[in-house]
Amino acid sequence: MAASRRAKLNESHRLHQFFRDMDDEESWIKEKKLLVSSEDYGRDLTGVQNLRKKHKRLEAELAAHEPAIQGVLDTGKKLSDDNTIGQEEIQQRLAQFVEHWKELKQLATARGQRLEESLEYQQFVANVEEEEAWINEKMTLVASEDYGDTLAAIQGLLKKHEAFETDFTVHKDRVSDVCTNGQDLVKKNNHHEENISSKMKGLNGKVSDLEKAAAQRKAKLDENSAFLQFNWKADVVESWIGEKENSLKTDDYGRDLSSVQTLLTKQETFDAGLQAFQQEGIANITALKDQLLAAKHIQSKAIEARHASLMKRWSQLLANSATRKKKLLEAQSHFRKVEDLFLTFAKKASAFNSWFENAEEDLTDPVRCNSLEEIKALREAHDAFRSSLSSAQADFNQLAELDRQIKSFRVASNPYTWFTMEALEETWRNLQKIIKERELELQKEQRRQEENDKLRQEFAQHANAFHQWIQETRTYLLDGSCMVEESGTLESQLEATKRKHQEIRAMRSQLKKIEDLGAAMEEALILDNKYTEHSTVGLAQQWDQLDQLGMRMQHNLEQQIQARNTTGVTEEALKEFSMMFKHFDKDKSGRLNHQEFKSCLRSLGYDLPMVEEGEPDPEFEAILDTVDPNRDGHVSLQEYMAFMISRETENVKSSEEIESAFRALSSEGKPYVTKEELYQNLTREQADYCVSHMKPYVDGKGRELPTAFDYVEFTRSLFVN
């Protein structure tokens, strides 16, 4: 019984312990139910956020208390299964406990949802209040009556309004987003549905009011801006017109053509500026006026009155400009006439002065002529000049008329010339004086030239005759046409040469007379003579050369006679040497140049080699060392004869040597040589000489062989002496 009672007491103790624990949990649940059953969901966003945080902590506490609740339930179920005491009460209490726990959880969930709805609502309200605050602030701005009193101020206000409109566009998007959010909350059946709808309606109304107020302010700002801009442009136009009006107030219309043309150029530039301004400034202000009147601007009357005032000033400016241009053109026409007169006078005065200077130079040029033809040409030129004076007189009269016209304008001195009419008149008077002086000088020179021409003719008569005598005497000495050179002896030639030389000496007196006439011509400054080509010096040189030629001829003949008598050179050989020299002396100068000398030697039988021009010729150079050692380029007759005589006596020792040479030319050593053999072995000049001097060969029977020549008789005849 004790054990049973003890068991029952323990069971009763566990039961009452369970009931006490359940009462504690019931008490805790009841306490929490009071919290979750509160109708306080916050009056603003901060309050809602704080309540939400507390609720989150409550939910965490419920979740944390879940094991304790489950432990009570498990204990009650075990007691119900194990005990028979109070089983019904346990089950009843458990059912009630579970119901209370579920109710607490439902209430917590419902409060959590309401708090979330309140949070969304308060966020919506905050956004609405923020936009309403911005709208209220901007309503104050757009309701301002300040539309600017200057163009700068209105431009600043327009920029601010543009910034506002940009900002307003952003805020309208924000309002749209807020309203969209409010509609979503209404769709979610937010418990603040009525307040949300009211807030959205009020916000949209304020946005509409702000938009209307902003449009009205923008219109007034634009209107005021247009009016101020019109006034500003009108001020600019008036300022420009005023500046141009001042520039037209001058009375300067130029002092001369250059200054007038400068002013006209400036006026044309001024008019071009007016045209350009009319197309831009005037056209723009007129277009702006028309635009404002068409838009029925509130200041239309003031705008129209201002524009009319501008147009009146503009028309007056154009009229003043046209008047000034007309006066400048009149001044230009006036000064142009004066300028044309100035230029015409300057050109004609310059031309007249140039003509006078040239005429003065010609008229004052010393009259020094060298012939009658020259003085005749000068007199003809002077007569032609006198004939041209009528044209100069006409030019002078034109200058006088131009000067009268210029002086009638009462202008300053001519800027294009320093010539004055007074100076030109003095020039004209001087010209008449110079002309008379020139005529006297020409007459004097005419007489002088007539006397000089007589002196020329006298000199020419004696000079021409003397020169002809020199030529005839030279021909006589050199050609030997009057000397019996071919048949006469050397002695007879020498006598004839001496007589001719005496005649040459006798003609020295005639040369003296010619020299006296030449001196007289030099004294008269006669530099030329059309009647003769001979001069005193030339004739003296020719007479001197002729005198020397006569002495050389005498000496040469004496040398030939001595050579004939002492060396054995035949007189025929000497004649041949002399004739050959004269043959090659083409110009009859009594000298041979080197080329003529070489041709002469070849003709005489000297075998000189043929060399190209410019190549050395040592054999001929050796001969020149004898006859022309100083290389003056010429060989005289005396030098030539001395060389030929020395060679004639030096190279030939005996007639046997010559015979042996011819015998070598003849085939088989015959005593004759044929013409063909001569031309085959000798030069053409040598062969021609032998053929012309050798006698035909006659054999022992007295027969003459054709084309055969007797070289033996020819050789011995050379060595007779």
Side-chain angles (χ1 to χ4, degrees):
M1 288 177 63
S4 174
R5 183 171 177 74
R6 182 178 181 80
K8 287 183 178 181
L9 287 171
N10 287 335
E11 184 179 346
S12 179
H13 178 267
R14 288 198 301 274
L15 179 63
H16 286 288
Q17 183 69 37
F18 166 72
F19 285 151
R20 191 179 64 180
D21 292 339
M22 185 173 284
D23 289 338
D24 291 339
E25 293 299 324
E26 286 282 357
S27 177
W28 184 84
I29 290 172
K30 187 177 181 180
E31 178 186 352
K32 300 304 177 187
K33 283 179 69 177
L34 290 173
L35 293 175
V36 298
S37 298
S38 174
E39 294 296 326
D40 181 14
Y41 298 109
R43 291 183 296 275
D44 53 24
L45 182 61
T46 303
V48 172
Q49 288 175 342
N50 289 334
L51 289 175
R52 190 167 174 270
K53 288 179 182 179
K54 290 180 180 180
H55 188 73
K56 289 292 183 181
R57 289 196 296 268
L58 177 62
E59 287 180 341
E61 188 177 355
L62 290 177
H65 205 72
E66 184 81 30
I69 298 298
Q70 188 64 40
V72 170
L73 291 175
D74 292 342
T75 301
K77 186 177 180 182
K78 187 176 179 183
L79 287 174
S80 177
D81 291 339
D82 293 343
N83 294 341
T84 55
I85 301 174
Q87 185 177 14
E88 183 177 350
E89 185 180 1
I90 291 170
Q91 291 179 350
Q92 185 179 357
R93 290 287 298 272
L94 283 173
Q96 187 179 1
F97 179 73
V98 170
E99 183 66 26
H100 290 164
W101 175 250
K102 288 181 179 179
E103 186 178 353
L104 175 61
K105 290 178 70 175
Q106 290 175 355
L107 289 173
T109 301
R111 182 170 177 77
Q113 184 177 354
R114 288 290 182 93
L115 286 173
E116 289 295 330
E117 290 178 357
S118 293
L119 178 63
E120 291 177 346
Y121 171 71
Q122 291 298 335
Q123 287 177 338
F124 168 77
V125 171
N127 290 335
V128 170
E129 290 176 348
E130 181 181 357
E131 293 303 317
E132 286 180 343
W134 183 86
I135 291 172
N136 292 333
E137 177 188 352
K138 300 305 177 184
M139 280 296 290
T140 303
L141 176 65
V142 299
S144 173
E145 295 296 327
D146 179 18
Y147 299 110
D149 54 358
T150 65
L151 192 59
I154 192 63
Q155 288 176 346
L157 291 176
L158 282 171
K159 286 183 179 179
K160 288 182 179 179
H161 192 79
E162 289 176 1
F164 156 75
E165 288 183 338
T166 302
D167 199 12
F168 188 30
T169 302
V170 175
H171 279 274
K172 283 198 290 186
D173 292 339
R174 290 182 182 178
V175 168
S176 178
D177 293 340
V178 169
C179 290
T180 301
N181 186 26
Q183 291 172 358
D184 291 341
L185 292 178
V186 172
K187 288 179 181 179
K188 292 179 181 179
N189 298 318
N190 191 291
H191 63 285
H192 297 288
E193 180 179 352
E194 293 182 0
N195 291 337
I196 292 171
S197 298
S198 177
K199 292 282 185 182
M200 287 192 297
K201 184 176 180 181
L203 181 60
N204 286 326
K206 289 186 176 182
V207 168
S208 178
D209 293 342
L210 179 61
E211 191 169 13
K212 291 179 181 178
Q216 292 176 358
R217 179 168 177 79
K218 179 67 166 57
K220 290 184 177 181
L221 285 173
D222 288 340
E223 189 176 66
N224 194 40
S225 174
F227 179 67
L228 290 176
Q229 190 170 10
F230 172 81
N231 284 334
W232 174 76
K233 288 187 176 181
D235 291 340
V236 172
V237 171
E238 281 188 340
S239 176
W240 192 89
I241 291 174
E243 179 184 348
K244 300 304 177 182
E245 286 174 342
N246 291 332
S247 65
L248 290 176
K249 290 179 180 179
T250 178
D251 292 330
D252 181 15
Y253 295 102
R255 299 175 305 278
D256 51 30
L257 181 60
S258 177
S259 60
V260 170
Q261 288 176 337
T262 301
L263 290 175
L264 268 174
T265 301
K266 291 182 179 179
Q267 183 63 31
E268 289 173 358
T269 304
F270 181 86
D271 291 342
L274 292 181
Q275 294 296 326
F277 190 76
Q278 185 169 17
Q279 295 175 2
E280 294 181 5
I282 300 299
N284 290 341
I285 194 71
T286 302
L288 183 58
K289 182 265 299 182
D290 294 340
Q291 180 182 351
L292 293 176
L293 293 181
K296 298 181 179 180
H297 195 279
I298 191 171
Q299 299 288 345
S300 293
K301 291 185 178 180
I303 292 171
E304 194 168 7
R306 183 75 185 276
H307 182 265
S309 176
L310 280 177
M311 291 299 99
K312 184 178 180 181
R313 289 189 67 181
W314 175 251
S315 299
Q316 187 61 43
L317 178 63
L318 292 177
N320 293 342
S321 177
T323 301
R324 177 170 175 78
K325 185 173 183 180
K326 181 180 178 182
K327 290 182 178 180
L328 286 173
L329 289 172
E330 291 174 353
Q332 182 188 37
S333 176
H334 171 77
F335 285 116
R336 184 163 284 168
K337 291 179 181 178
V338 176
E339 193 78 6
D340 290 342
L341 290 174
F342 277 155
L343 286 171
T344 303
F345 182 86
K347 291 179 181 177
K348 287 184 175 295
S350 178
F352 182 81
N353 187 69
S354 298
W355 171 84
F356 169 74
E357 289 179 349
N358 293 332
E360 183 182 29
E361 183 179 355
D362 293 340
L363 293 172
T364 56
D365 190 29
V367 182
R368 299 295 296 177
C369 301
N370 295 319
S371 64
L372 282 172
E373 289 76 8
E374 290 184 12
I375 187 61
K376 182 180 179 182
L378 285 179
R379 299 203 67 170
E380 290 175 353
H382 185 72
D383 292 339
F385 173 76
R386 290 295 299 269
S387 301
S388 68
L389 282 178
S390 58
S391 175
Q393 180 70 53
D395 293 340
F396 182 78
N397 294 337
Q398 289 180 3
L399 285 170
E401 177 60 23
L402 288 172
D403 183 68
R404 186 192 63 76
Q405 294 179 20
I406 290 172
K407 288 178 179 177
S408 68
F409 284 101
R410 297 180 181 179
V411 292
S413 60
N414 194 331
Y416 300 108
T417 182
W418 54 82
F419 297 118
T420 62
M421 197 61 210
E422 292 74 15
L424 294 175
E425 289 172 351
E426 181 64 24
T427 298
W428 184 256
R429 287 192 293 270
N430 290 336
L431 180 64
Q432 305 304 319
K433 180 181 177 182
I434 294 172
I435 290 173
K436 293 179 180 178
E437 293 174 352
R438 181 70 171 183
E439 289 176 350
L440 294 176
E441 290 183 2
L442 290 174
Q443 292 173 5
K444 182 179 178 181
E445 183 65 19
Q446 175 78 27
R447 291 191 296 270
R448 192 177 74 87
Q449 287 303 323
E450 289 174 353
E451 293 174 359
N452 289 348
D453 197 63
K454 291 178 181 179
L455 188 58
R456 286 191 185 94
Q457 292 181 14
E458 184 179 0
F459 176 85
Q461 181 181 358
H462 290 84
N464 291 337
F466 189 76
H467 180 265
Q468 184 177 0
W469 171 82
I470 289 176
Q471 294 298 322
E472 292 173 353
T473 303
R474 179 185 295 276
T475 302
Y476 175 85
L477 292 174
L478 293 178
D479 291 347
S481 58
C482 298
M483 298 172 64
V484 287
E485 184 171 288
E486 297 178 359
S487 59
T489 63
L490 292 175
E491 285 79 1
S492 63
Q493 293 180 36
L494 179 59
E495 287 300 323
T497 301
K498 286 180 179 182
R499 288 193 302 271
K500 183 57 69 173
H501 187 251
Q502 289 175 358
E503 181 185 342
I504 292 171
R505 291 294 177 90
M507 287 297 287
R508 182 70 182 82
S509 60
Q510 183 64 23
L511 178 62
K512 179 65 171 61
K513 185 175 182 179
I514 294 173
E515 289 175 344
D516 293 340
L517 289 172
M521 290 177 63
E522 290 182 4
E523 184 177 354
L525 299 178
I526 300 174
L527 304 178
D528 60 344
N529 193 341
K530 66 178 181 178
Y531 301 110
T532 182
E533 61 182 6
H534 309 300
S535 66
T536 303
V537 176
L539 292 174
Q541 290 177 349
Q542 293 181 33
W543 180 85
D544 188 59
Q545 291 173 0
L546 187 62
D547 182 52
Q548 292 179 10
L549 178 61
M551 290 190 295
R552 286 199 304 271
M553 293 288 289
Q554 291 181 52
H555 181 70
N556 185 46
L557 289 170
E558 291 171 352
Q559 185 183 21
Q560 291 182 41
I561 292 171
Q562 183 181 5
R564 181 196 62 189
N565 297 332
T566 58
T567 62
V569 179
T570 63
E571 190 169 331
E572 289 75 8
L574 293 174
K575 287 183 180 180
E576 184 178 3
F577 296 157
S578 179
M579 289 177 63
M580 196 61 69
F581 180 89
K582 292 176 180 178
H583 172 73
F584 285 98
D585 184 15
K586 303 296 185 182
D587 57 358
K588 309 303 179 184
S589 62
R591 299 183 301 176
L592 300 178
N593 60 33
H594 289 176
Q595 190 61 39
E596 291 172 343
F597 179 56
K598 183 185 287 188
S599 300
C600 182
L601 292 178
R602 285 184 174 146
S603 299
L604 291 171
Y606 281 80
D607 187 12
L608 295 175
M610 301 297 291
V611 297
E612 295 292 333
E613 185 177 355
E615 291 186 2
D617 188 357
E619 186 175 343
F620 183 64
E621 291 293 330
I623 295 174
L624 290 178
D625 290 339
T626 302
V627 297
D628 188 18
N630 58 357
R631 289 296 194 275
D632 61 2
H634 298 91
V635 179
S636 66
L637 177 60
Q638 182 179 355
E639 292 171 337
Y640 165 78
M641 293 301 294
F643 170 75
M644 295 306 297
I645 292 170
S646 65
R647 285 300 179 95
E648 191 70 18
T649 58
E650 178 184 274
N651 294 334
V652 182
K653 300 301 181 181
S654 64
S655 61
E656 287 78 6
E657 294 180 2
I658 302 301
E659 290 181 10
S660 298
F662 278 113
R663 190 176 291 108
L665 296 178
S666 175
S667 60
E668 300 177 357
K670 296 186 296 293
Y672 60 86
V673 63
T674 65
K675 184 176 182 180
E676 290 76 7
E677 291 171 340
L678 288 172
Y679 279 99
Q680 288 176 0
N681 296 281
L682 301 177
T683 64
R684 183 172 186 81
E685 291 83 355
Q686 293 171 342
D688 289 342
Y689 181 82
C690 293
V691 170
S692 62
H693 288 78
M694 285 185 181
K695 295 180 179 180
Y697 177 75
V698 179
D699 60 8
K701 296 180 180 181
R703 292 177 299 179
E704 185 175 308
L705 298 180
T707 69
F709 296 95
D710 189 352
Y711 63 81
V712 176
E713 190 277 334
F714 169 74
T715 303
R716 290 177 181 175
S717 67
L718 293 176
F719 284 86
V720 171
N721 296 322

